[in-house]
Amino acid sequence: MPDSGGSRAQRAHIPTTGTGADDRPIPHGDAGALSVDPAAPQVTAPAGLPGPAARTARRTGLLVTMVLGGLTALPPLSMDMYLPALPAVTDSLSAPAATVQLTLTACLAGMALGQLVVGPMSDRWGRRRPLLLGMVVYVLATAICALAPTAELLIGFRLLQGLAGAAGIVIARAVVRDLYDGVEMARFFSTLMLISGVAPVIAPVIGGQVLRITDWRGIFVVLTAVGIVLTLVVWKWLHETLPPADRHTGGVADALRTMRGLLADRVFTGYMVAGGLAFAVLFAYIAASPFVVQEIYGASPQTFSLLFGLNSIGLIAVGQINGKLLVGRISLDKVLGFGLAVIVLAAVALLLMTAGVFGEVGLVPVAAGLFVLMSAMGLAMPNTNAQALMRTKHAAGSASALLGTSSFLIGAVASPLVGIAGEDTAVPMAVVQVVCAVAAVACFLLLCRPWQRAGREAGGL
């Protein structure tokens, strides 16, 4: 795959028509309509000259960013705003802590499995309808969570909330694939990482502030309101990006064949698994860092929050460097390979420090290693998604579903392993990170074989 390209809307200029909720034409003058119909007649704006067409393209790009950013931020908000309320839920519903923890597991499982359902649906019926259906179900499920009288009912509707919320994750990636190609797609993924990276940082803070004025049910009321606003925004401004001619017409069997075909693509599978393993390194950090920083190294909750925020800022900043400076100047595979290499080195350094190879180290060196590791995620994660989706023009929804589900499942398997040796050592966290990081590099080299494709591109093939 070439590492050059751009927005499909930019290459095709400004479309005179698009498709809306029911595939009706959308007038060209609707600047808020985020639609692309490659089959429609095109009007060419003068290249390099400012004017209404250029301003419309910029406004459209900003709207795409805002809408898709909101959709990708909703799942981490749904998960992390709720975290400060767990003790209150335990008391309010008179349920064991282990039972209340299942409300988190149910939501996470729903997000993983829901992508497998919504992705193929969006390839068959377009992006807009499954997304709107998912958002409406999300709003209803979240509202019922606010009213749940028992832990069991809360668990059930948290599962439904996760299943419906998965629509935003998977369709946002598919819409990016519909609208962008090559380096522009990688840049857009870096921008989405800025938004999705901020969301889990601020979500517990928002949840804590909500708990100052109301009880845990108020958090679900706030999430319901956010869901309603996003649903209205999608309804008004996010029009169809997958033309009818490009949709799949088969049923479940056809969707399964499509996914099987994607998994049979060695290179796609390589990027998918490498991205999932990199995500597992991130999951291991999230699962273990509160314990490691506060219990083992004696930091206060405030210090932990500061370090967590700094690491998130590092990830976001490097993601922006990737999108604004590196992509388009250096091949995506080279940037991805460098990012994975840095993750491996940082994970090995953390293992050596936590295992006592350098003697007894304090919090500062460990925090520095975690910062480097987290920052390098900004090079790995957006580029694995971009490279995988560039191979799936006609099945972006199914491909996005596989990418999301594999990341969640691999991360969910890896994260419990960080506490396998008890509460007195951080070695398991570092071991999980080293194993996953090395395995990600192995998948990248053995399955993706970037040097082969670089050679073909250099030869003009």
Side-chain angles (χ1 to χ4, degrees), residues 218-437:
I219 292 176
F220 289 107
V221 173
V222 172
L223 288 172
T224 301
V226 172
I228 291 173
V229 171
L230 270 176
T231 303
L232 294 175
V233 168
V234 169
W235 175 263
K236 180 173 178 58
W237 283 304
L238 187 62
H239 295 292
E240 187 56 64
T241 61
L242 184 67
D246 291 341
R247 298 176 191 174
H248 295 181
T249 57
V252 175
D254 183 65
L256 292 176
R257 281 194 297 271
T258 299
M259 288 189 173
R260 186 168 63 246
L262 290 170
L263 293 174
D265 180 348
R266 170 179 51 80
V267 178
F268 171 83
T269 300
Y271 286 121
M272 180 188 73
V273 178
L277 289 166
F279 200 62
V281 176
L282 177 63
F283 260 59
Y285 160 77
I286 292 173
S289 60
F291 165 74
V292 170
V293 174
Q294 296 180 79
E295 299 298 327
I296 296 180
Y297 290 98
S300 66
Q302 292 74 26
T303 300
F304 166 72
S305 298
L306 175 62
L307 293 176
F308 192 92
L310 287 174
N311 290 341
S312 299
I313 290 171
L315 186 151
I316 293 166
V318 173
Q320 294 311 292
I321 291 172
N322 174 70
K324 305 297 184 183
L325 299 179
L326 300 180
V327 171
R329 295 177 173 85
I330 305 174
S331 77
L332 297 184
D333 279 328
K334 288 181 179 178
V335 176
L336 173 57
F338 178 77
L340 291 175
V342 173
I343 292 172
V344 170
L345 292 175
V348 170
L350 285 168
L351 178 58
L352 295 176
M353 286 188 286
T354 56
V357 173
F358 303 125
E360 189 170 338
V361 298
L363 176 60
V364 172
V366 172
L370 289 171
F371 178 81
V372 172
L373 182 144
M374 283 292 292
S375 298
M377 292 289 175
L379 300 177
M381 294 171 61
N383 291 327
T384 52
N385 283 335
Q387 289 288 66
L389 287 172
M390 273 196 282
R391 302 183 62 83
T392 59
K393 177 181 178 181
H394 301 297
S398 297
S400 178
L402 289 173
L403 289 170
T405 300
S406 63
S407 294
F408 274 100
L409 292 180
I410 294 173
V413 169
S415 57
L417 300 177
V418 299
I420 198 170
E423 301 181 355
D424 298 325
T425 176
V427 171
M429 177 195 73
V431 169
V432 170
Q433 290 174 332
V434 168
V435 170
C436 291

Side-chain angles (χ1 to χ4, degrees), residues 65-92:
T65 303
M66 293 174 61
V67 175
L68 299 187
L71 293 172
T72 56
L74 187 59
L77 286 175
S78 302
M79 290 290 295
D80 296 340
M81 273 183 65
Y82 178 66
L83 293 178
L86 285 177
V89 176
T90 301
D91 295 337
S92 174

